[in-house]
Amino acid sequence: PYDDAPRLRAGPDALIGEAAMLAEVERPATARALEATTVLKIPRAILRRVLTEFPDDAAQMRAALARSIRSFGEELTDFGARAGETGP
């Protein structure tokens, strides 16, 4: 059902589905590794506990999430500009 979803590349230390930390919603994502990869699936309750105990890491994750949200906003703006364009 998600075959038409955009393809993105995630680099080392990437978070996939990080918005699920904020809201208890399903956010389906499919990830495929191009090379040998280690992946961690961290339950929300454990992640929240870790972030409470390690505030410096929590700050880094907040910054990464803020960048992701900013980028999404820019993509929406670009999409809106393109949708408003008229073709030849």
Side-chain angles (χ1 to χ4, degrees):
Y2 302 102
D3 290 339
D4 59 346
R7 308 273 191 243
L8 305 172
R9 285 192 181 231
D13 301 322
L15 298 173
I16 299 173
E18 69 275 12
M21 291 186 306
L22 302 174
E24 294 189 26
V25 296
E26 233 181 272
R27 191 161 182 229
T30 298
R32 293 187 185 153
L34 299 176
E35 56 191 61
T37 303
T38 300
V39 176
L40 297 175
K41 180 179 179 182
I42 304 170
R44 183 181 295 113
I46 299 223
L47 181 61
R48 286 183 178 161
R49 180 177 169 199
V50 168
L51 294 177
T52 298
E53 294 179 16
F54 298 93
D56 291 342
D57 294 319
Q60 288 180 5
M61 289 189 73
R62 276 193 299 275
L65 186 55
R67 283 190 301 273
S68 178
I69 292 169
R70 233 182 344 268
S71 175
F72 181 65
E74 290 168 1
E75 289 174 22
L76 285 176
T77 300
D78 291 346
F79 176 77
R82 286 193 310 273
E85 293 176 354
T86 57

